[in-house]
Amino acid sequence: MTKDRRAKQDARERKALTGESYTTARRHTSRTAEPQFKPDHCASCLQQLPNQVERLFCSELCRQTAEVIRYWRAIVRDGRIENSDVSYALQTRVAHLLAGGYPKQKRHLSDEIRQQVWARDEGRCRGCGNPGEEIDHIHGDSADLANLQLLCAPCHHRKTEQRMVPAGAEQKSYIAALQRSRVAPQSPLLLCDDHERWSTIERTLRKERREGLLAQLAEYGFKRADFASYSWSDMWDEVLDENYDEDDFEAHGIDDDSGFGPDSYFARAMAKDD
């Protein structure tokens, strides 16, 4: 691909993501530009956030997408992507994105459960008998002791790979577009893609959003303490129901019908285990 064709393609991808005109997108992709961030919009897909969402992403999938992009950008720039273990880690993270995201909360294990697994398996991999390194979910996300086993890293990786299938054409196109528009450019397209700055600026941006929403709440004559027993989402449902009907909000992520969602063949394969 020639340099001019690549520039035009980058501009079209930026236009589709940001909603800018083609001329503006072409200008931004032809020079270093300030990473994109729109207050009160999802930091990853740039769709407007409803008041019920307190943080900076419209969905867990969007948050994880940005996390993977930052990791990808970092390992490309420091050369770690040449390390086979790091490359494998990236491959696994991307696979989880294609499967609709990794259910971190469901798969979180307490220290007590971890100790029980190590004690029961006597510190040995149940696959090959070598020293164990990682706790594996045998099927699904259940944290029941019977669904957990200790494996060494090679056995764990091999088990995961056996449950992964090659990405389809649509999936490959999606990942290639992410790589071109959000990983390859020297200057990050979105602020949430900036692996050097995001960790320090995210807290400030979250605080600003929360303060802005609390100011809106005050305009309705309420304060957060009035809804102490409510979650953030339930509080806003209550307030907005009494004041006006918001348009239905649909979280923007990878569409279930696109081949990447939780009902896809890839997702079913990944859902069998880590």
Side-chain angles (χ1 to χ4, degrees), residues 29-47:
T29 53
S30 65
R31 61 178 175 81
T32 301
E34 182 66 21
Q36 182 92 350
F37 178 80
K38 297 172 67 176
D40 301 322
H41 288 70
C42 177
S44 186
C45 71
L46 302 181
Q47 298 297 318

mmCIF file of all heavy atoms in Angstrom, residues 29-47:
data_model
loop_
_atom_site.group_PDB
_atom_site.id
_atom_site.type_symbol
_atom_site.label_atom_id
_atom_site.label_comp_id
_atom_site.label_asym_id
_atom_site.label_seq_id
_atom_site.Cartn_x
_atom_site.Cartn_y
_atom_site.Cartn_z
ATOM 1 N N THR A 29 -4.658 12.875 10.857
ATOM 2 C CA THR A 29 -3.836 11.690 10.636
ATOM 3 C C THR A 29 -2.555 12.004 9.890
ATOM 4 O O THR A 29 -1.670 11.154 9.796
ATOM 5 C CB THR A 29 -4.627 10.628 9.850
ATOM 6 O OG1 THR A 29 -5.150 11.214 8.651
ATOM 7 C CG2 THR A 29 -5.759 10.065 10.687
ATOM 8 N N SER A 30 -2.436 13.207 9.371
ATOM 9 C CA SER A 30 -1.216 13.570 8.640
ATOM 10 C C SER A 30 -0.209 14.285 9.514
ATOM 11 O O SER A 30 0.878 14.617 9.083
ATOM 12 C CB SER A 30 -1.571 14.469 7.437
ATOM 13 O OG SER A 30 -2.109 15.709 7.891
ATOM 14 N N ARG A 31 -0.568 14.525 10.769
ATOM 15 C CA ARG A 31 0.364 15.176 11.687
ATOM 16 C C ARG A 31 0.043 14.716 13.108
ATOM 17 O O ARG A 31 -0.968 14.086 13.363
ATOM 18 C CB ARG A 31 0.226 16.702 11.610
ATOM 19 C CG ARG A 31 -1.155 17.216 11.998
ATOM 20 C CD ARG A 31 -1.228 18.730 11.947
ATOM 21 N NE ARG A 31 -2.566 19.222 12.195
ATOM 22 C CZ ARG A 31 -3.121 19.369 13.382
ATOM 23 N NH1 ARG A 31 -2.455 19.008 14.461
ATOM 24 N NH2 ARG A 31 -4.343 19.851 13.519
ATOM 25 N N THR A 32 0.941 15.012 14.022
ATOM 26 C CA THR A 32 0.700 14.659 15.409
ATOM 27 C C THR A 32 -0.441 15.499 15.961
ATOM 28 O O THR A 32 -0.424 16.720 15.882
ATOM 29 C CB THR A 32 1.969 14.895 16.256
ATOM 30 O OG1 THR A 32 3.017 14.097 15.727
ATOM 31 C CG2 THR A 32 1.717 14.550 17.708
ATOM 32 N N ALA A 33 -1.461 14.865 16.484
ATOM 33 C CA ALA A 33 -2.631 15.566 17.009
ATOM 34 C C ALA A 33 -2.851 15.187 18.468
ATOM 35 O O ALA A 33 -2.442 14.124 18.919
ATOM 36 C CB ALA A 33 -3.866 15.215 16.184
ATOM 37 N N GLU A 34 -3.499 16.072 19.198
ATOM 38 C CA GLU A 34 -3.831 15.774 20.594
ATOM 39 C C GLU A 34 -4.820 14.611 20.626
ATOM 40 O O GLU A 34 -5.812 14.597 19.889
ATOM 41 C CB GLU A 34 -4.460 17.010 21.247
ATOM 42 C CG GLU A 34 -4.810 16.841 22.718
ATOM 43 C CD GLU A 34 -3.595 16.649 23.609
ATOM 44 O OE1 GLU A 34 -2.487 17.022 23.186
ATOM 45 O OE2 GLU A 34 -3.756 16.131 24.727
ATOM 46 N N PRO A 35 -4.573 13.596 21.455
ATOM 47 C CA PRO A 35 -5.486 12.453 21.518
ATOM 48 C C PRO A 35 -6.918 12.890 21.820
ATOM 49 O O PRO A 35 -7.150 13.832 22.584
ATOM 50 C CB PRO A 35 -4.909 11.611 22.662
ATOM 51 C CG PRO A 35 -3.467 11.978 22.705
ATOM 52 C CD PRO A 35 -3.419 13.433 22.357
ATOM 53 N N GLN A 36 -7.860 12.216 21.219
ATOM 54 C CA GLN A 36 -9.265 12.568 21.314
ATOM 55 C C GLN A 36 -9.861 12.147 22.653
ATOM 56 O O GLN A 36 -9.685 11.017 23.106
ATOM 57 C CB GLN A 36 -10.033 11.895 20.175
ATOM 58 C CG GLN A 36 -11.499 12.207 20.121
ATOM 59 C CD GLN A 36 -11.816 13.399 19.232
ATOM 60 O OE1 GLN A 36 -10.902 14.109 18.804
ATOM 61 N NE2 GLN A 36 -13.060 13.613 18.936
ATOM 62 N N PHE A 37 -10.599 13.072 23.274
ATOM 63 C CA PHE A 37 -11.397 12.756 24.457
ATOM 64 C C PHE A 37 -12.540 13.753 24.515
ATOM 65 O O PHE A 37 -12.325 14.965 24.394
ATOM 66 C CB PHE A 37 -10.576 12.851 25.746
ATOM 67 C CG PHE A 37 -11.406 12.571 26.980
ATOM 68 C CD1 PHE A 37 -11.695 11.271 27.348
ATOM 69 C CD2 PHE A 37 -11.912 13.615 27.752
ATOM 70 C CE1 PHE A 37 -12.477 11.005 28.464
ATOM 71 C CE2 PHE A 37 -12.687 13.356 28.869
ATOM 72 C CZ PHE A 37 -12.970 12.051 29.231
ATOM 73 N N LYS A 38 -13.753 13.240 24.683
ATOM 74 C CA LYS A 38 -14.936 14.105 24.750
ATOM 75 C C LYS A 38 -15.578 13.920 26.121
ATOM 76 O O LYS A 38 -16.036 12.820 26.435
ATOM 77 C CB LYS A 38 -15.927 13.753 23.641
ATOM 78 C CG LYS A 38 -15.390 13.971 22.239
ATOM 79 C CD LYS A 38 -16.332 13.428 21.168
ATOM 80 C CE LYS A 38 -17.630 14.222 21.125
ATOM 81 N NZ LYS A 38 -18.499 13.746 20.005
ATOM 82 N N PRO A 39 -15.615 14.960 26.946
ATOM 83 C CA PRO A 39 -16.266 14.829 28.256
ATOM 84 C C PRO A 39 -17.689 14.294 28.104
ATOM 85 O O PRO A 39 -18.407 14.646 27.162
ATOM 86 C CB PRO A 39 -16.265 16.265 28.787
ATOM 87 C CG PRO A 39 -15.104 16.904 28.102
ATOM 88 C CD PRO A 39 -15.073 16.306 26.712
ATOM 89 N N ASP A 40 -18.074 13.420 29.017
ATOM 90 C CA ASP A 40 -19.411 12.827 29.047
ATOM 91 C C ASP A 40 -19.686 11.921 27.856
ATOM 92 O O ASP A 40 -20.840 11.655 27.513
ATOM 93 C CB ASP A 40 -20.493 13.909 29.163
ATOM 94 C CG ASP A 40 -20.328 14.750 30.419
ATOM 95 O OD1 ASP A 40 -19.962 14.173 31.461
ATOM 96 O OD2 ASP A 40 -20.537 15.976 30.351
ATOM 97 N N HIS A 41 -18.620 11.457 27.209
ATOM 98 C CA HIS A 41 -18.725 10.467 26.154
ATOM 99 C C HIS A 41 -17.794 9.310 26.495
ATOM 100 O O HIS A 41 -16.781 9.496 27.189
ATOM 101 C CB HIS A 41 -18.331 11.052 24.798
ATOM 102 C CG HIS A 41 -19.339 12.006 24.243
ATOM 103 N ND1 HIS A 41 -19.567 13.256 24.800
ATOM 104 C CD2 HIS A 41 -20.189 11.905 23.183
ATOM 105 C CE1 HIS A 41 -20.508 13.890 24.101
ATOM 106 N NE2 HIS A 41 -20.895 13.093 23.123
ATOM 107 N N CYS A 42 -18.132 8.125 26.023
ATOM 108 C CA CYS A 42 -17.283 6.960 26.253
ATOM 109 C C CYS A 42 -15.880 7.242 25.741
ATOM 110 O O CYS A 42 -15.697 7.675 24.600
ATOM 111 C CB CYS A 42 -17.871 5.737 25.550
ATOM 112 S SG CYS A 42 -16.846 4.248 25.686
ATOM 113 N N ALA A 43 -14.896 6.983 26.559
ATOM 114 C CA ALA A 43 -13.509 7.281 26.191
ATOM 115 C C ALA A 43 -13.018 6.398 25.053
ATOM 116 O O ALA A 43 -12.047 6.748 24.380
ATOM 117 C CB ALA A 43 -12.597 7.106 27.404
ATOM 118 N N SER A 44 -13.695 5.265 24.792
ATOM 119 C CA SER A 44 -13.231 4.350 23.760
ATOM 120 C C SER A 44 -14.036 4.437 22.468
ATOM 121 O O SER A 44 -13.464 4.452 21.391
ATOM 122 C CB SER A 44 -13.258 2.906 24.276
ATOM 123 O OG SER A 44 -12.684 2.015 23.343
ATOM 124 N N CYS A 45 -15.369 4.473 22.554
ATOM 125 C CA CYS A 45 -16.182 4.511 21.334
ATOM 126 C C CYS A 45 -16.769 5.888 21.056
ATOM 127 O O CYS A 45 -17.388 6.112 20.014
ATOM 128 C CB CYS A 45 -17.295 3.471 21.391
ATOM 129 S SG CYS A 45 -18.618 3.852 22.576
ATOM 130 N N LEU A 46 -16.600 6.831 22.005
ATOM 131 C CA LEU A 46 -17.009 8.230 21.859
ATOM 132 C C LEU A 46 -18.523 8.421 21.768
ATOM 133 O O LEU A 46 -18.984 9.474 21.346
ATOM 134 C CB LEU A 46 -16.321 8.880 20.658
ATOM 135 C CG LEU A 46 -14.789 8.876 20.677
ATOM 136 C CD1 LEU A 46 -14.240 9.579 19.442
ATOM 137 C CD2 LEU A 46 -14.259 9.524 21.943
ATOM 138 N N GLN A 47 -19.287 7.422 22.201
ATOM 139 C CA GLN A 47 -20.738 7.589 22.274
ATOM 140 C C GLN A 47 -21.088 8.284 23.590
ATOM 141 O O GLN A 47 -20.414 8.105 24.604
ATOM 142 C CB GLN A 47 -21.437 6.231 22.201
ATOM 143 C CG GLN A 47 -21.172 5.493 20.903
ATOM 144 C CD GLN A 47 -21.713 6.229 19.692
ATOM 145 O OE1 GLN A 47 -22.827 6.773 19.725
ATOM 146 N NE2 GLN A 47 -20.944 6.252 18.619
#
